[in-house]
Amino acid sequence: MDINYIVLLDFSKGEIIKIRLSEEQKKESEKYNDFSEFLETLEDKYNFNLNYCTWMSCEVLSERSY
């Protein structure tokens, strides 16, 4: 599966963070055996703390709101 998006649920802030990975970020992520190690490199850039988040990765992002 090609990972294009990361969705984080930050339960410390009640915030949903959606990140569309650039081609450069996709290539960089392949250098890591554990994808969560790659996510740690994004914490400062996107202002989140992985310790307070749960996340998922997906190829195509679809949303529903009620």
Side-chain angles (χ1 to χ4, degrees), residues 19 38-50:
I19 301 169
F38 167 68
L39 289 178
E40 289 174 2
T41 69
L42 302 178
E43 287 179 319
D44 289 337
K45 181 175 182 174
Y46 295 105
N47 193 26
F48 68 89
N49 184 330
L50 202 54

Side-chain angles (χ1 to χ4, degrees), residues 4-6 18-23 25-26 46 61:
N4 293 317
Y5 296 92
I6 306 299
K18 296 178 278 186
I19 301 169
R20 182 175 182 181
L21 296 176
S22 67
E23 290 302 319
Q25 288 170 325
K26 290 179 199 179
Y46 295 105
L61 183 62

Side-chain angles (χ1 to χ4, degrees), residues 6-18 48-56:
I6 306 299
V7 179
L8 299 113
L9 300 175
D10 186 334
F11 48 85
S12 70
K13 299 176 186 175
E15 184 174 50
I16 299 169
I17 303 164
K18 296 178 278 186
F48 68 89
N49 184 330
L50 202 54
N51 292 323
Y52 302 117
C53 295
T54 188
W55 60 272
M56 70 173 200

